[in-house]
Amino acid sequence: MENDDLEIEDLLKNNVKKKKVNGKAKGNRVELNLCKFLTKHFGEEFSRAPGSGARTSQVALLPEHAKKTLIGDICVPEGFKWVIECKGGYEDDMHLENILNGDEGMSRLDEFIQQVMKDADYCGRKPIILWKRNRKPWIAMIKSEEVLLHGFKNYIVYGDWRLLNFEQLLNSTDREFWYEKKNSGN
């Protein structure tokens, strides 16, 4: 018996694979966008570090002033107090609710913290992680004492770190929060 009104679709024929995201290209885009954002906000040039995140071994033989500039993901202007670790995405690896549950799923965040702390110790600047999730505002992660000293009220606690809205952080801090004071005498 033939069933003319019954049509069977070949599910394998029209199966389109999801395109794999190029993590390096995405990271480069996120870093470039952050540089543009910071340059516009501070009026000074920020740029991607050569090789992005030039690490200790890559800059070990350079002069001290170059080391301080090239450590981290972003080359910062002279006098900028912070070493920047820039992250984009990681929605599948990190969920903020994991902080509340104490899940081991936050090991990725711990890796970022370890990385920026190593860089900060090496170059003598303060550590900051700037994280951009897809279609979400930038999140800044800074040490507790920085948040508490400046009276921020809305943040998420993660160990010694505080996660807060980066634009709010920029808008509620003055230049001295970000830059060393310039010596007026020669």
Side-chain angles (χ1 to χ4, degrees), residues 4 27 30 34 44 46 57 69 71 100 107 109 112 127 144 155 163 168-169 175:
D4 290 335
V30 170
L34 177 61
E44 293 189 64
F46 289 77
S57 63
T69 302
I71 289 291
L100 300 174
S107 63
L109 184 55
F112 300 160
S144 301
Y155 53 82
L163 287 76
Q168 288 177 0
L169 177 65
R175 189 165 177 88

Side-chain angles (χ1 to χ4, degrees), residues 3 18 29 43 74 77-78 80-82 89 98 121 145 149-151 169 171 179:
N3 231 344
K18 189 176 178 181
R29 270 193 315 276
I74 307 295
E78 189 176 350
F80 197 75
K81 293 180 183 180
W82 302 84
N98 293 356
D121 289 343
E145 62 269 12
L149 286 174
H150 292 279
L169 177 65
N171 293 331
Y179 286 87

Side-chain angles (χ1 to χ4, degrees), residues 19-50:
K19 212 176 197 181
K20 187 174 180 178
V21 175
N22 180 338
K24 177 133 179 76
K26 182 177 184 176
N28 291 349
R29 270 193 315 276
V30 170
E31 289 173 3
L32 285 171
N33 287 337
L34 177 61
C35 290
K36 288 177 187 176
F37 181 77
L38 293 171
T39 297
K40 183 177 178 182
H41 180 81
F42 289 109
E44 293 189 64
E45 192 66 34
F46 289 77
S47 61
R48 290 185 61 238

